[in-house]
Amino acid sequence: VASTSPEPRDILHIFTDGSAYYGDSPAAGWAFVIIIERDENFFFGGWAAGAVPPDTRSLDDTQKRDADEQVRAFGMESDSQTAEAVALAMATWWLIQMGPMAAVYCHVDHDVLRKFADGQSRWFDPPGAALLARAFTRVLNGAATGITRHVKAHSGQPWNEMADVLAKAAAKQELTSETPVLFPKFLHEP
């Protein structure tokens, strides 16, 4: 699969995943992978990933305070449900910043989160990031471009597997990012 940057006429496929690591120190990570469909061809658009809560070691004091406020506001716990929700919230936030596309398909392997984000079901005491993912998903759906789809976890779907590997690496803090903020405006290029 070749790589390219998205254009408004493109169809985007976004694969989100979250993962929790329960080793010496519990941690979680989120990731999403962008696949661009153009003229019946598929291109790798990039990826983004991070820790939950975000890794703030490289931030100055003001940035750390801002990150801590975001963590408190969105109930960022180091568990897999929160990581899944953060992945969908990050992906939809990135999409909103991209502007209109021909169509967007968010492939989510946490079906409860997918249905909650689409407004198809209730979730008793959801993580704050799930509420954020729901709000962002409504913005996408309101623009008539966003559709969420369930993809079975660990079924061999290569882009979902890539998101899973990235989320696990982010949970173990094996990835680094030039932009260690909660909502990325960037993608790691292929």
Side-chain angles (χ1 to χ4, degrees):
V1 174
S3 63
T4 190
S5 296
E7 298 176 3
R9 67 187 174 104
D10 293 335
I11 298 170
L12 297 183
H13 295 270
I14 296 154
F15 293 83
T16 66
D17 209 352
S19 182
Y21 171 70
Y22 299 102
D24 299 334
S25 174
W30 61 269
F32 64 89
V33 175
I34 305 293
I35 304 302
I36 301 165
E37 183 178 347
R38 180 182 300 153
D39 303 324
E40 298 182 22
N41 294 303
F42 292 85
F43 303 91
F44 179 64
W47 59 273
V52 179
D55 182 3
T56 59
R57 290 176 292 184
S58 64
L59 302 179
D60 65 33
D61 289 341
T62 302
Q63 292 171 319
K64 281 182 183 177
R65 277 193 303 275
D66 291 345
D68 288 343
E69 287 175 21
Q70 291 175 349
V71 167
R72 279 193 301 280
F74 299 118
M76 300 287 179
E77 299 295 328
S78 293
D79 62 60
S80 59
Q81 284 195 127
T82 299
E84 293 276 359
V86 170
L88 183 57
M90 296 294 195
T92 53
W93 178 251
W94 178 82
L95 283 164
I96 289 166
Q97 294 177 85
M98 286 299 299
M101 294 285 148
V104 175
Y105 298 96
C106 288
H107 303 269
V108 180
D109 66 8
H110 189 297
D111 207 33
V112 172
L113 171 62
R114 183 193 65 80
K115 288 178 180 175
F116 178 76
D118 277 345
Q120 297 174 0
S121 69
R122 295 177 187 247
W123 187 345
F124 178 74
D125 196 26
L131 297 170
L132 195 57
R134 184 177 197 167
F136 290 161
T137 301
R138 285 184 174 174
V139 169
L140 285 176
N141 291 343
T145 60
I147 299 168
T148 58
R149 291 183 170 169
H150 181 249
V151 59
K152 187 174 180 185
H154 310 292
S155 64
Q157 203 298 332
W159 303 116
N160 186 64
E161 295 299 326
M162 181 179 182
D164 182 57
V165 167
L166 290 166
K168 282 179 170 60
K172 295 177 182 179
Q173 297 185 350
E174 296 172 350
L175 297 177
T176 59
S177 168
E178 318 87 47
T179 313
V181 295
L182 189 56
F183 296 118
K185 294 183 181 179
F186 67 95
L187 279 181
H188 290 274
E189 296 300 323

